[in-house]
Each structure stands twice: as C-alpha cells, then as structure tokens.
Amino acid sequence: MKLRIAYLYPDLLNIYGDRGNVLTLFRRCQWRGIAVEIDYLDLGSSIDADRYDLYFMGGGQDTQQARVCEDLQQVKKESLLVAAQNQAVFLTVCGGYQLLGHYYKPHEGPELRGLSLIDAHTVAGHKRHIGNIVIERTSALTGNLETVVGFENHSGLTYLGKAVSPLGQVKTGSGNNGEDATEGVAQGNIYGTYLHGSLLPKNPALADELLFKALSRGHAQEQVKSALIPLEDALESMAHQRALLLKA
Ligand code: GLN
C-alpha cells in the first residue's frame, strides 16, 4: 500500500508550522508500514492529475498568495480540478484554504481568483483573528463527536455557500468569520481550515480520517481499515488535552 502526497508551494505557503501536517501524515503512515511518497510542487511545476492521493497547501501572507494565485490559474488549476473529481483529498490551511473558494479580496490590490473547488469566498476584514481555537465536529470516520484544536491568525473572513459543510462549529475562537460560528470546510474529500499549529499533530483522529479517505482512493476500504491500525497516540492526546485548556 502506498500514499502519494503532493505538497503544493512548500516554500511560499508554510507559516506557523503548517509543514507539520505533511510530516504527521508521513509518520502516521510510516508507523503502520504504509509507503509514502511526497512530491514538492512549487511555482511552475505541472501536476499529473491522477498521480496523487492527497494535496496539501499551507498558509501564507497576501503577497505569497498573489504569486500562488497566478500559478494556480496559469499552471495547476485544470489538473487540480480533475484530481478533485477523482476523489483526491485536499487539506488546505488559511491562505491555501482561501484560494479553494471563488476568490480572496485582500485589503490592497486586486481580487485573487480561487479554484472554485468549494462554494465560498473570502474578504479581508479590519481585525486580525489571532489566538487558540477549539472546534467541535462529527468524525467522518467514526461518527463520533470530536474536538479539533489549533491556532488561528488571519484577517480574511470566509463565507460558505448554503450547500457547503463547515469542518466544524467554533467552541472558542473566531473560525471562518467570527460571525456564524463555522470553521473551515469539509466537503467530500475537500478540507480547509484556519487552524495552524500545525493542525494534525494534536488532532490524530482528523489525521487518520484524511489518511483513510486518501488511501481509499486506490485501495479497497476493508484493506485500508486493516492497514490503519490504531496508534498509541498518548503524546498526541496529551497535547490535545493541554490545548483544550488554553483560552482563545
Ligand atoms: N493573508 C491571509 C489572511 O490574513 C491568510 C493568512 C494566513 O495564511 N495565516 O487572512
């Protein structure tokens, strides 16, 4: 069994430790004996639409987002849309997340066109939403209610379309826009979030949900279930519990 990860714009979109998400996915496969290949796809790199099971795009400031937006529109958009249709998993954080929607309107400069992979849009607000954040969601893997913890730092306010499901409901913190108590997006295999930290090391259940969906793209679900043996996760759970005690 092998997982192929495309790490998009690792040099441009990688703030607040977002690369820790790719490391977590890599290690949680390695600990289970699942082979993992990671390709680093920066500006100008084309994409073989059927090659990758999971795409990761981290956060970045407006200037980096503008450069990424141009490359997405001119080089990668068509392949990414095909990949999404073929059920590849997308995990995107903050600036990367904002470019999944129809557009991101920064404070200055032109509107940045997004991939329109989700029915959402983002406009820069006048306040930065910074701090620890806790959301609550139902796991797509177990059906259990779970908390997800992280750190947010964004001025962008994201508004989801009517048919789009959030990643979760905000318990403490701001989330998508600080108004509607939604955070992020979880639409099929497309995930977006404002949670930096990085997200996955302290949220092992979410990491395994992403791995299950990504591996199920090329393997029978029963085979994937037996490959994703439970990990000890004591350290991860302790970090999660400690984060729950932090105030937003
Ligand atoms: N520039 C965007 C904003 O401030 C995204 C920032 C980020 O990726 N942390 O909302």
Side-chain angles (χ1 to χ4, degrees):
M1 188 173 282
K2 178 180 281 188
L3 179 73
R4 287 198 174 94
I5 296 174
Y7 185 169
L8 300 177
Y9 311 108
D11 294 339
L12 281 171
L13 296 182
N14 174 32
I15 50 178
Y16 307 116
D18 288 338
R19 66 190 299 272
N21 293 298
V22 176
L23 294 177
T24 301
L25 293 167
F26 176 79
R27 294 291 280 158
R28 295 186 73 80
C29 281
Q30 209 181 35
W31 288 330
R32 292 157 159 146
I34 299 169
V36 194
E37 264 179 27
I38 302 173
D39 286 350
Y40 300 85
L41 303 176
D42 254 309
L43 295 178
S45 308
S46 58
I47 293 177
D48 169 355
D50 201 37
R51 178 174 175 78
Y52 301 105
D53 306 301
L54 187 144
Y55 293 80
F56 176 74
M57 202 158 42
Q61 301 307 335
D62 290 10
T63 44
Q64 287 101 336
Q65 282 179 283
R67 292 180 63 193
V68 165
C69 167
E70 189 181 350
D71 186 74
L72 282 174
Q73 295 301 325
Q74 291 176 10
V75 179
K76 297 183 178 56
K77 179 172 184 175
E78 295 320 313
S79 300
L80 291 175
L81 295 181
V82 170
Q85 280 162 6
N86 295 342
Q87 296 306 301
V89 171
F90 284 70
L91 174 62
T92 59
V93 182
C94 208
Y97 163 38
Q98 293 170 342
L99 293 175
L100 279 194
H102 302 307
Y103 62 85
Y104 166 51
K105 178 74 184 83
H107 280 299
E108 282 147 30
E111 193 175 277
L112 303 181
R113 272 184 64 196
L115 293 171
S116 292
L117 267 180
I118 51 168
D119 179 14
H121 69 275
T122 302
V123 292
H126 297 291
K127 166 191 169 201
R128 284 206 79 79
H129 296 272
I130 303 180
N132 298 296
I133 174 169
V134 178
I135 67 172
E136 203 166 63
R137 67 184 294 266
T138 302
S139 163
L141 200 52
T142 64
N144 299 333
L145 204 57
E146 64 184 20
T147 50
V148 176
V149 296
F151 182 84
E152 62 184 329
N153 180 350
H154 58 98
S155 68
L157 307 174
T158 297
Y159 298 92
L160 303 181
K162 295 219 179 325
V164 179
S165 308
L167 178 66
Q169 295 297 315
V170 176
K171 306 311 283 180
T172 57
S174 298
N176 279 327
N177 48 54
E179 299 158 26
D180 63 14
T182 65
E183 200 294 314
V185 67
Q187 191 72 16
N189 285 0
I190 311 289
Y191 290 75
T193 182
Y194 275 112
L195 273 64
H196 294 285
S198 41
L199 170 71
L200 295 182
K202 294 191 286 284
N203 299 290
L206 180 57
D208 283 352
E209 178 177 318
L210 296 173
L211 287 177
F212 178 79
K213 288 189 171 184
L215 287 165
S216 298
R217 188 176 161 273
H219 304 86
Q221 288 202 349
E222 284 318 306
Q223 196 188 353
V224 174
K225 275 191 186 130
S226 53
L228 286 179
I229 52 170
L231 295 171
E232 188 244 356
D233 282 346
L235 196 56
E236 291 81 354
S237 304
M238 188 166 66
H240 186 100
Q241 292 308 315
R242 289 289 298 271
L244 285 174
L245 300 174
L246 300 171
K247 290 284 166 269

